[in-house]
Amino acid sequence: DAKTTQPPSMDCAEGRAANLPCNHSTISGNEYVYWYRQIHSQGPQYIIHGLKNNETNEMASLIITEDRKSSTLILPHATLRDTAVYYCIVRVVSLADSSYKLIFGSGTRLLVRP
Amino acid sequence: DSGVTQTPKHLITATGQRVTLRCSPRSGDLSVYWYQQSLDQGLQFLIQYYNGEERAKGNILERFSAQQFPDLHSELNLSSLELGDSALYFCASSVGDLNSPLHFGNGTRLTVT
């Protein structure tokens, strides 16, 4: 399974961009990178995902390097409500049973400061 | 609101007992996943069902079992409960293909006393 490496914690000021890095050097060609966040003990919330190209939606932008070995999640204008644990996940593909699991790591705890 | 409904929200029971957790997926989603989150383990994948059939197994104990019914709702059965089974149990659903995200419910908090 492709593993991800994230810093355990980060902080940023409210209103500034939050850039969360992730390394996934063993990623395979057909594996997507997914980002989720978990606020307190709520269910993980889907943010964004991508394969090769950069992606943007109403929540965030995802920048994937050309070699696909790392990516960065960008929250353009962080608010206090963005304080959460952010998980970068490489979605595991099993062609044998067509299963597409999400295996969570430890994530990055982002603290947005007032 | 993710559209995934889990019941009950909280459950307190004694060691040795058996409980059933229920999950209703989002409308149109065929795949259901179960995860366990305890304080010292993080989010652990337990099992996945797709359209009623088991697709993948993770770190699921033999005391635990799950099924997905014809109406696509799913149940996770936990038996012979131990103190260490106290955790948050999350259900997630997706359309079922590689390019579709999982959407998580808000979980069932199980406390075993």
Side-chain angles (χ1 to χ4, degrees):
Chain A
D1 296 352
K3 293 200 187 316
T4 61
T5 304
Q6 298 179 255
S9 63
M10 293 181 65
D11 66 69
C12 76
E14 189 178 19
R16 305 297 294 269
N19 297 289
L20 290 89
C22 178
N23 286 322
H24 31 79
S25 58
T26 59
I27 193 170
S28 298
N30 61 350
E31 291 179 330
Y32 282 78
V33 178
Y34 278 76
W35 284 82
Y36 281 76
R37 72 181 183 185
Q38 189 174 25
I39 297 171
H40 197 46
S41 295
Q42 296 176 21
Q45 179 188 21
Y46 166 74
I47 301 173
I48 200 167
H49 74 283
L51 182 63
K52 294 181 188 175
N53 301 319
N54 298 338
E55 302 286 346
T56 295
N57 63 19
E58 64 279 2
M59 287 182 71
S61 294
L62 173 61
I63 310 297
I64 302 174
T65 58
E66 196 167 335
D67 63 8
R68 301 213 322 124
K69 293 185 176 181
S70 65
S71 60
T72 301
L73 178 75
I74 301 172
L75 307 178
H77 305 286
T79 71
L80 298 179
R81 283 199 244 178
D82 291 323
T83 292
V85 178
Y86 287 77
Y87 297 97
C88 167
I89 305 159
V90 170
R91 192 162 189 183
V92 176
V93 177
S94 172
L95 297 178
D97 56 15
S98 299
S99 68
Y100 313 121
K101 297 176 286 194
L102 284 179
I103 305 298
F104 285 78
S106 304
T108 294
R109 190 173 295 276
L110 176 68
L111 173 64
V112 181
R113 296 177 277 104
Chain B
D1 181 10
S2 68
V4 177
T5 304
Q6 290 189 246
T7 56
K9 288 191 174 140
H10 301 277
L11 199 48
I12 301 174
T13 189
T15 54
Q17 295 298 305
R18 173 190 168 94
V19 297
T20 297
L21 312 183
R22 183 189 167 100
C23 170
S24 293
R26 295 192 326 159
S27 177
D29 284 357
L30 299 178
S31 199
V32 168
Y33 301 74
W34 286 97
Y35 285 80
Q36 178 193 54
Q37 186 174 34
S38 50
L39 278 174
D40 57 348
Q41 291 281 336
L43 275 154
Q44 299 287 315
F45 167 70
L46 294 179
I47 197 163
Q48 177 203 355
Y49 280 82
Y50 178 81
N51 205 18
E53 293 191 2
E54 183 184 303
R55 269 286 167 90
K57 262 186 173 178
N59 303 319
I60 188 165
L61 299 172
E62 285 191 13
R63 299 183 286 110
F64 297 180
S65 64
Q67 52 185 329
Q68 186 180 26
F69 295 86
D71 67 354
L72 301 177
H73 92 269
S74 179
E75 292 181 355
L76 179 67
N77 301 296
L78 315 176
S79 61
S80 304
L81 285 168
E82 302 175 359
L83 295 178
D85 298 326
S86 296
L88 274 165
Y89 290 86
F90 291 106
C91 168
S93 74
S94 78
V95 170
D97 61 51
L98 183 58
N99 196 19
S100 298
L102 275 63
H103 296 276
F104 284 78
N106 276 325
T108 293
R109 182 177 291 278
L110 173 67
T111 303
V112 182
T113 62

